């Protein structure tokens, strides 16, 4: 029997207390990190052991072959079983850590570290990055967030990498960037905060956008439910953002929670898990250009 492949488009494995995915579980994820230490942990053998991952970041040449992005290429069958569970790594400067003192002390070293990772093809995407105007404190560093984001955007263009975006109370801000966002291979809107109309508008602006949704769809968040129900299937990704984005009464989100998110999305789309997960697997590989990711240890 064919196993269901679960793809988590955005997670923080190094922050999880108990990330468990067993050997040979058909699971792919993109784990975000935001410091050199975190990157070293994620890309090192310790994480691979801790999670019984077949590979943490260095993916080698074992990438399952697929057709062009957004095509209806058939899925690899046998070839994929040897390589999961598998975590890819993205690296970005999180907007919540950006403030005047960060700019003075850490910004330039973080940026050069990020550029080295891009150059050496050690990350699959840049992010999460973007804008957070959720609290007055965060909003106070709007100008600095913009400076940081501009640099990350330039790197994404220069190294042809997707961006994973974090946007809180700042969706309108991203529209001012649509001309620039068109120049990068894909933009993954993590926990997309906008409406269906905003998602459609981003696509109409020519952005190769993917909209990712997590546990808020289990919590009745209207705009997210509307998007998951009505967006073209090829634009959708799912995520946990584990250990964050907990529901009421939960202390932590676990990687395994991706199964609940899939279940809910299947209901909304009125599709079987098998059919839906195949489509999402295709979207995941296309969004992160997995086919062209060939770095090795
Ligand atoms: Zn996150």
């Amino acid at each position: 029997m064919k196993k269901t492949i679960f793809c988590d488009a955005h997670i923080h494995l190094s922050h999880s207390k108990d990330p468990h995915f067993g050997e040979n579980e058909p699971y792919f994820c993109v784990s975000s990190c935001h410091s050199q230490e975190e990157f070293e942990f994620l890309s090192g053998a310790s994480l691979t052991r801790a999670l019984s991952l077949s590979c943490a970041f260095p993916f080698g040449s074992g990438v399952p072959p697929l057709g062009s992005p957004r095509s209806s290429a058939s899925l690899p069958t046998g070839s994929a079983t040897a390589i999961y569970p598998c975590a890819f790594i993205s690296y970005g400067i999180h907007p919540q850590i950006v403030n005047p003192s960060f700019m003075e002390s850490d910004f330039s070293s973080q940026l050069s570290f990020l550029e080295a990772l891009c150059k050496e093809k050690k990350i699959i995407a840049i992010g999460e990055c973007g804008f957070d105007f959720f609290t007055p404190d965060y909003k106070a560093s709007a100008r600095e967030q913009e400076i940081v984001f501009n640099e990350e955007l330039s790197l994404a263009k220069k190294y042809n990498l997707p961006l994973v975006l974090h946007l809180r109370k700042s969706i309108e801000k991203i529209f001012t960037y649509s001309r620039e966002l068109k120049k990068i291979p894909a933009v993954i809107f993590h926990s997309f905060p906008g409406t269906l109309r905003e998602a459609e508008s981003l696509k109409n602006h020519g952005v190769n956008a993917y909209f990712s949704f997590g546990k808020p769809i289990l919590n009745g968040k209207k705009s997210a439910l509307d998007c998951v129900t009505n967006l073209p299937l090829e634009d959708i990704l799912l995520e946990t953002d584990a250990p964050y984005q907990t529901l009421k009464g939960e202390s932590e989100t676990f990687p395994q929670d991706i199964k609940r998110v899939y279940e809910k999305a299947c209901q909304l789309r009125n599709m079987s898990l098998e059919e839906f997960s195949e489509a999402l697997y295709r979207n995941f590989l296309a969004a992160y250009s997995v086919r062209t990711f060939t770095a090795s240890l």
Side-chain angles (χ1 to χ4, degrees):
M1 209 183 87
K2 213 152 91 184
K3 285 184 177 173
T4 306
I5 300 175
F6 291 100
C7 298
D8 191 332
H10 178 75
I11 189 169
H12 300 264
L13 282 176
S14 44
H15 299 183
S16 276
K17 279 196 227 91
D18 179 24
H20 52 282
F21 260 93
E23 212 176 314
N24 279 336
E25 258 203 277
Y27 171 74
F28 290 83
C29 69
V30 172
S31 184
S32 269
C33 62
H34 303 284
S35 70
Q36 193 164 340
E37 297 69 43
E38 237 190 304
F39 176 81
E40 275 152 17
F41 173 75
L42 277 173
S43 57
S46 52
L47 181 86
T48 313
R49 260 198 312 275
L51 303 186
S52 21
L53 288 172
S54 298
C55 54
F57 150 63
F59 202 62
S61 52
V63 181
L66 262 199
S68 57
R70 296 174 190 259
S71 79
S72 56
S74 62
L75 287 170
T77 47
S79 61
T81 52
I83 50 167
Y84 47 61
C86 188
F88 298 99
I89 299 176
S90 68
Y91 188 103
I93 301 173
H94 200 289
Q96 289 173 355
I97 65 165
V98 175
N99 56 39
S101 87
F102 169 84
M103 298 308 280
E104 250 177 53
S105 54
D106 295 332
F107 179 45
S108 67
S109 62
Q110 281 253 16
L111 198 62
S112 11
F113 184 66
L114 173 57
E115 175 146 25
L117 295 177
C118 296
K119 209 181 274 174
E120 293 160 23
K121 296 195 171 180
K122 289 193 165 174
I123 49 175
I124 200 163
I126 295 177
E128 57 189 295
C129 58
F131 298 96
D132 197 317
F133 301 153
F134 195 68
T135 66
D137 268 5
Y138 293 150
K139 206 171 176 183
S141 58
R143 213 178 67 83
E144 288 83 3
Q145 290 185 35
E146 180 141 27
I147 296 169
V148 171
F149 182 68
N150 286 339
E151 294 291 345
E152 292 177 299
L153 181 61
S154 312
L155 289 178
K157 280 190 277 185
K158 184 169 170 192
Y159 295 98
N160 207 31
L161 283 168
L163 275 180
V164 181
L165 289 187
H166 166 109
L167 299 172
R168 284 208 306 174
K169 294 253 184 261
S170 53
I171 185 87
E172 57 298 321
K173 182 89 190 157
I174 215 65
F175 279 96
T176 65
Y177 280 95
S178 49
R179 273 173 68 175
E180 295 305 305
L181 294 176
K182 263 162 71 171
K183 300 177 189 161
I184 57 173
V187 182
I188 293 110
F189 289 85
H190 133 62
S191 197
F192 181 63
T195 61
L196 177 63
R197 187 176 289 194
E198 283 165 335
E200 286 165 348
S201 170
L202 283 158
K203 299 283 295 191
N204 292 338
H205 278 77
V207 179
N208 188 28
Y210 288 85
F211 305 98
S212 182
F213 302 92
K215 285 167 85 175
I217 68 168
L218 301 175
N219 206 15
K221 189 184 174 193
K222 279 210 173 65
S223 58
L225 291 169
D226 190 24
C227 287
V228 174
T229 309
N230 296 305
L231 275 172
L233 185 58
E234 62 178 24
D235 297 346
I236 295 175
L237 295 170
L238 296 178
E239 64 175 54
T240 57
D241 200 14
Y244 307 112
Q245 299 216 2
T246 48
L247 300 179
K248 218 173 162 195
E250 293 176 340
S251 60
E252 171 170 355
T253 288
F254 297 101
Q256 295 275 358
D257 290 348
I258 193 69
K259 295 176 180 172
R260 291 159 63 195
V261 180
Y262 263 69
E263 210 172 286
K264 178 69 187 177
C266 283
Q267 278 170 18
L268 294 169
R269 301 292 304 200
N270 201 14
M271 286 172 81
S272 71
L273 180 60
E274 191 184 11
E275 206 185 354
F276 181 77
S277 63
E278 287 201 2
L280 270 263
Y281 177 53
R282 223 176 258 132
N283 295 353
F284 178 88
L285 298 185
Y288 286 108
S289 305
V290 173
R291 290 169 311 112
T292 59
F293 188 73
T294 54
S296 57
L297 262 176

